[in-house]
Amino acid sequence: MFPAAVYVLCFLTSACCAWLLGRSYARSRERLLLWSSACFILLAGNNLLLVMDLLIFTDVNLRIGRLLLSLSAISVLLFGFIWDLEDDAA
């Protein structure tokens, strides 16, 4: 029961972070907040897949999907950092 609670809390935390970052982006229009929000949306999706993989669909392996979501999340954030750095340098 304890691992299930931890998985669900991780999903809720990352979803809440994505929502707060998105709300801050809507107010300030800082692009770094947009990229961070997109990263946390993907990380929340990763955590949701983890919950489904380990608790709901125990006979199906969703590891590849989780890895792809993690890779996408880090790629989006890295792209945002590089794009912001290039715009600041110009």
Side-chain angles (χ1 to χ4, degrees):
M1 188 62 169
F2 183 71
V6 171
Y7 299 146
V8 171
L9 285 174
C10 287
F11 165 69
L12 291 174
T13 302
S14 56
C16 184
C17 287
W19 178 71
L20 289 171
L21 286 165
R23 189 177 69 167
S24 294
Y25 170 72
R27 289 182 184 167
S28 68
R29 295 294 180 200
E30 288 288 327
R31 284 184 306 194
L32 191 54
L33 290 171
L34 173 68
W35 298 117
S36 298
S37 176
C39 175
F40 271 93
I41 288 170
L42 291 168
L43 289 174
N46 179 29
N47 286 327
L48 183 60
L49 242 82
L50 178 67
V51 168
M52 292 187 336
D53 188 16
L54 298 178
L55 302 176
I56 298 171
F57 303 117
T58 56
D59 56 337
V60 179
N61 188 3
L62 300 175
R63 185 170 189 253
I64 298 296
R66 292 187 348 240
L67 290 174
L68 288 174
L69 278 173
S70 297
L71 178 64
S72 299
I74 299 305
S75 298
V76 163
L77 192 59
L78 185 61
F79 176 78
F81 283 155
I82 292 170
W83 191 11
D84 247 1
L85 184 65
E86 287 178 358
D87 284 347
D88 289 341

